[in-house]
Amino acid sequence: MKGFSRRDLLKSGLMAPAVAAAHGMGPLGNALVTAGEHAALQASAEHSQTTSFAGAERERLLLDFGWRFHLGNADDPEKDFEFGTARAGNFQKTGNFLPAGSSAFDDSEWKALDLPHDWAIELPFTNDPSLASKGFYPLGRKYPETSVGWYRRVFELPAADAGKRLTIEFDGVYRETMVVFNNFYIGTHTGGYDPFSFDVTTFANPGGRNVLLVRVDATSSDGWFYEGAGIYRHVWLVKTSPVYVKQWGTFVSAKVNGGTATLSIRTAVANRDQHAQTVRASASILDPEGKVVGKSRSDAISIPATEEHEYTQEILVKQPRLWSLEERHLYRLVTEVEANGAAVDRYQTRFGIRTTHFDAEKGFSLNGKPVKLKGTCNHQDHAAVGAAVPDAVQYYRVRRLQEMGCNALRTSHNPPTPELLDACDELGMLVFDETRMMSSNPEGLSQLSDLVRRDRNRPSVFMWSMGNEEGMANNQRGVQILSAMKELVEELDGTRPTSIAPAGAIGTGGLAVLDVIGYNYMDPQAEAYHKEHPDRPVIGTETVSAVGTRGIYVTDKSKGFVASYDPYTTTGRASAEGWWRFCNSKPWLSGGFVWTGFDYRGEPSPNGWPNISSQYGVIDTCGFPKDSFYYYQSWWTAKPVLHVFPHWNWPGYEGKKIAVWVYSNRDKVELLVNGKSLGVKNVPRDGHVAWNVEYAPGVIEARGYTGDAVVMTAKRETTGSPAKLVVTADRQTLKADGEDVGMFTVEVQDAQGRLVPITENEVTFTVSGAGRLAGTGNGDPTNQEPDKGSSRKAFGGYCMGLVQTGKKSGSITVEVSSPGLSSAKATVEAAAVQLRPQVPVWERAVPEGSGITGLWRPAPGPPLPGMMAFLLGGGASVFTLIQNGSVLTGQVESGGGGFFGGGEAGTPITDGKVDGDNVSFKSGNGTYVGTVKGDRIELTKTIDLGWLRSLLAHPAEQTGEKPAVGPAPDGSDPSFDRPPMSGPPTVPLVLHRAQR
């Protein structure tokens, strides 16, 4: 039989009733929409257009918990949940996009997880040279089966949300995102780092269940480094009145003059109501203690329907407390919006008051004081979690950088997550904030606009980066592109300078358009440029691509290891000491950014497979310092430093010379080997001291002098064999909020409690109590153990476990064990805290009771034939059965299906009876009769086709003479065939018990 087409129905004149019926004719036959339901829909629509906003209140709810995840397929629609198949709704009709978008869809086989999430680190490493820059994870067009992921979240909205504007905000998803809400296609976003949002007001179900379905395609790449895959940053549900402050709609800039600060405030307010509104904006400034120190109330302005208005206000703050690296004073702007005299929105903006300045001869200053920028570039991944870095780990990373004296961070090479900037604002770290795409095309300018509007109130952000190593920036085309980008930045901000990290050039072409001249790895050329252009401020935007493996002192390409000795005789291209000596001797040079603070996945220079991560970092992927960490700490901080290396376990090297280095900021250092002094050496400024020592097991000891007095000592001893484990936590108290993370460091020690520097003991982590193991790491650039496993080899004596809290308070005990070694435990407390506002996790209620009471789902069966498949589709269903004696009640829930789409409905069960093993009931347009066989119910469903019956029935054949050539004997339309219909259609159905 030929299948029915859309054209068949158009010709039949039954298109209109078919569309109406789609609401009630899902795959298992829900009832038609009743007149009462139409009335309810109309009432809801009228309510959403109301102009009465009294009592409206903005809510921003975390939407991280309670998701389900499953890999899709970039090439095969059958393995991609029918996305792209003709039989699924997709883009054909609205409201019926995919079976997975239905609330009845069975996602029990999907993985339960919370966000942020990076599925790439869960994939097996693959020895494909084309994957080297991505850390050898199988992502890209060659790997369609692991390059697409689906996320699904069901949640309920209160009935009181009717009339509110509802927006879903994504802080970052890698990389191409398609959003479906309540089975309505909402939109797509391209770009792996910039935030985006969708207004879902029209498609929401206030007072009911809502389904958010997200397809993420990580096939394409933004960068040449590890980028992850998935929803790796936070997601939010935002509720406002139709008149509201736009996202990132406030901007506070300050001019400090003596003992006062003049604050200029811009506030963008949108009116998404159907009527004009008379709107007033009020601004209150709260000091760091929460005391109001200034107010302003705007004039009332009429904003037409669907339009916007920007308010400008000015407030004077006396004796402002300036934000600095040492004192991170943070103020708050509280914006209140009134519409027609009623309060409708309240929006809070955190900001700082400070001044910054670049001087071509004196460098950078903060609040009028010179500050040498001691910066690091950093990618965004971390051991155990990939790109999905929890907030607590962002703070951990910033503190780690600060320990070595780092005071500035470049967000290489993309907009950072907001929580990294929170940490920088609160802990005191300057930020060179970088956009991903250097372009004046709409997408590039949109990404830049989002970055600037989002981050322009942050005191830590002192300069905007227009990109990284873009050859096009060096020529005349770059002049045009960067001029447009700079113009946009000045329009949106106007208080911060612009720069770029260039490729092989200084101050040429478009580079000269920007405010601060940056350079990458060109110290001598930078000095020459300064002499020729003494009026232009200069900064090292990327310096010191020095490689080294933590704890390794002999370069061994076969193992993928690089010795940790700094090539100090070279330039700053590859030497920490070579660069800093240059930088610190040039007052005109504002400072620079070392490549990189932390090791990161991908770019496994100078080695390929089996290396899966870089070795550029001063700190490894876990946060364990390399030796160069102590070089920077010596000259970037006032903390007394005395660090001697290498370790002193060198079997087979007896009698051979070992280079012993000491990083220190003391006046002099003396080295002793097994108690014998090898002399005292003066420590050169910004340098180190070294001896070539004939190896013999025992002890090397460094003594640091201030003047002629010994003030510090440091030792390295030849250790015994591994004997025990020691585990310590970075904090003793964590927050029981389901988000906080503790960093548990494991050391392999000998019997005397000394760190064993050469060992590969496999360490198993066991977590009990109020937390779970989030992942493990060890900083070894060649280690290919899974991040999400429960064990990890020690490397250089160390490994680490990341433990995430639950939402219940209590103790968390982490036990570490290894064959042949004494195990160890560490216990911390997860303290009860007030959870930040969030969308509750939804679980389908499973009724409990006797007989067949419970949830039931249909087993997969053959597709429906012809017209029924076309109209009814193949969406999912779930049966909620409640047996009370011989009476059966409940409901049948199914997604909208079929060509015409339509809403979902849960239709009640009527006339339900249970007689022994026999069962019968009605629901919607179906009558069900069958037999119970344990956890299986075999049913026959008889479908009442209603208005379709006349379409599918064959007219009676005409009597009389039939010409050989002429119309069909029964007068039917020959353009489509009708199936033989002797009665109502029946469908076999087998139900199985379900738990979701």
Side-chain angles (χ1 to χ4, degrees), residues 7 18 454 479 482 538 778 904 951:
R7 184 60 48 196
R454 187 194 69 174
V479 172
L482 289 170
V538 179
N778 64 7
E904 300 182 4
L951 175 65

Side-chain angles (χ1 to χ4, degrees), residues 30 95 98-108 152-156 180-184 205 208-213 842-844 855 857 875-879 891-896 902-906 996:
N30 292 328
L98 281 174
S102 161
S103 65
F105 178 76
D106 184 4
D107 61 8
S108 59
R152 192 170 184 273
R153 175 66 154 91
V154 183
F155 60 92
E156 293 183 344
V180 178
F181 189 64
N182 288 333
N183 234 347
F184 290 89
N205 296 324
R209 193 180 307 151
N210 297 264
V211 181
L212 176 58
L213 181 67
W842 177 86
E843 289 290 344
R844 188 185 302 277
L855 287 183
R857 286 188 177 275
S877 296
V878 60
F879 290 64
Q891 73 168 6
V892 178
E893 177 186 341
S894 69
E904 300 182 4
R996 182 174 170 82

Side-chain angles (χ1 to χ4, degrees), residues 440-781:
S440 54
N441 68 14
E443 184 175 339
L445 292 180
S446 175
Q447 290 185 12
L448 179 60
S449 172
D450 288 348
L451 173 73
V452 174
R453 289 188 300 117
R454 187 194 69 174
D455 298 345
R456 60 188 173 177
N457 290 302
R458 294 189 177 273
S460 60
V461 175
F462 74 99
M463 186 162 63
W464 306 110
S465 173
M466 301 295 97
N468 174 72
E469 296 179 335
E470 297 277 359
M472 196 62 66
N474 303 348
N475 57 32
Q476 189 59 35
R477 184 66 56 83
V479 172
Q480 298 171 317
I481 293 173
L482 289 170
S483 294
M485 295 178 73
K486 181 180 177 181
E487 181 181 0
L488 177 62
V489 170
E490 290 177 344
E491 175 189 341
L492 297 174
D493 178 9
T495 69
R496 294 171 178 85
T498 56
S499 187
I500 191 171
I506 302 178
T508 63
L511 305 178
V513 169
L514 304 177
D515 301 302
V516 178
I517 300 300
Y519 74 90
N520 286 18
Y521 310 111
M522 299 175 69
D523 292 343
Q525 296 90 334
E527 187 166 26
Y529 179 87
H530 171 67
K531 290 178 180 179
E532 294 176 7
H533 303 86
D535 59 330
R536 299 300 305 269
V538 179
I539 188 172
T541 43
E542 189 170 314
T543 63
V544 194
S545 281
V547 292
T549 311
R550 177 181 58 80
I552 297 297
Y553 302 98
V554 176
T555 296
D556 187 339
K557 189 171 180 64
S558 68
K559 294 182 178 179
F561 295 155
V562 181
S564 292
Y565 296 100
D566 182 69
Y568 68 100
T569 59
T570 67
T571 67
R573 190 200 67 76
S575 166
E577 190 172 326
W579 169 70
W580 182 244
R581 282 199 314 264
F582 171 82
C583 181
N584 202 31
S585 66
K586 312 298 179 186
W588 52 267
L589 184 55
S590 297
F593 294 85
V594 172
W595 188 265
T596 53
F598 285 83
D599 280 344
Y600 55 93
R601 289 169 171 81
E603 281 196 302
S605 297
N607 304 307
W609 182 270
N611 290 65
I612 46 86
S613 66
S614 82
Q615 303 190 56
Y616 292 115
V618 182
I619 306 168
D620 73 14
T621 54
C622 287
F624 298 131
K626 301 181 185 179
D627 293 295
S628 58
F629 177 99
Y630 300 98
Y631 170 79
Y632 290 111
Q633 192 179 64
S634 296
W635 304 113
W636 283 6
T637 77
K639 175 184 177 180
V641 178
L642 185 67
H643 176 74
V644 58
F645 64 98
H647 60 74
W648 212 237
N649 283 32
W650 294 98
Y653 280 76
E654 289 79 5
K656 297 181 181 180
K657 295 288 188 177
I658 304 288
V660 176
W661 284 27
V662 178
Y663 288 140
S664 180
N665 50 16
R666 301 302 85 200
D667 297 337
K668 297 178 289 187
V669 172
E670 180 182 14
L671 183 69
L672 292 86
V673 178
N674 292 328
K676 180 181 178 180
S677 176
L678 299 188
V680 178
K681 294 187 178 184
N682 294 323
V683 179
R685 183 188 181 204
D686 299 329
H688 72 282
V689 290
W691 291 261
N692 288 328
V693 177
E694 188 175 295
Y695 176 67
V699 181
I700 55 173
E701 178 182 348
R703 294 177 177 175
Y705 288 75
T706 298
D708 293 327
V710 176
V711 293
M712 301 179 71
T713 62
K715 294 181 180 181
R716 294 278 190 160
E717 301 183 34
T718 306
T719 70
S721 300
K724 62 181 179 180
L725 300 177
V726 174
V727 59
T728 56
D730 67 322
R731 290 171 290 152
Q732 292 304 303
T733 302
L734 305 177
K735 294 179 289 186
D737 59 2
E739 302 181 67
D740 203 2
V741 171
M743 319 292 280
F744 288 78
T745 297
V746 179
E747 294 184 24
V748 179
Q749 296 183 353
D750 67 5
Q752 285 71 49
R754 298 171 297 192
L755 178 75
V756 180
I758 304 175
T759 180
E760 292 188 343
N761 299 80
E762 190 79 22
V763 177
T764 298
F765 293 79
T766 303
V767 178
S768 58
R772 66 174 185 86
L773 184 66
T776 66
N778 64 7
D780 179 355

Side-chain angles (χ1 to χ4, degrees), residues 932-949:
V932 179
K933 296 184 178 180
D935 284 347
R936 172 187 177 97
I937 304 177
E938 297 179 356
L939 297 172
T940 298
K941 176 186 177 182
T942 301
I943 303 173
D944 180 1
L945 291 176
W947 61 271
L948 286 174
R949 189 181 302 111

Side-chain angles (χ1 to χ4, degrees), residues 382-459:
H382 195 85
V385 293
V389 180
D391 299 355
V393 180
Q394 302 287 3
Y395 284 77
Y396 169 84
R397 287 166 65 90
V398 172
R399 290 190 181 99
R400 210 58 161 155
L401 292 170
Q402 288 179 318
E403 284 180 39
M404 76 175 190
C406 176
N407 63 14
L409 184 151
R410 176 180 163 218
T411 66
S412 308
H413 300 293
N414 49 264
T417 186
E419 290 70 31
L420 173 60
L421 299 183
D422 288 343
C424 292
D425 285 344
E426 295 169 20
L427 300 177
M429 176 74 73
L430 291 164
V431 176
F432 185 19
D433 208 353
E434 188 159 296
T435 191
R436 173 78 286 276
M437 181 183 290
M438 192 206 84
S439 181
S440 54
N441 68 14
E443 184 175 339
L445 292 180
S446 175
Q447 290 185 12
L448 179 60
S449 172
D450 288 348
L451 173 73
V452 174
R453 289 188 300 117
R454 187 194 69 174
D455 298 345
R456 60 188 173 177
N457 290 302
R458 294 189 177 273

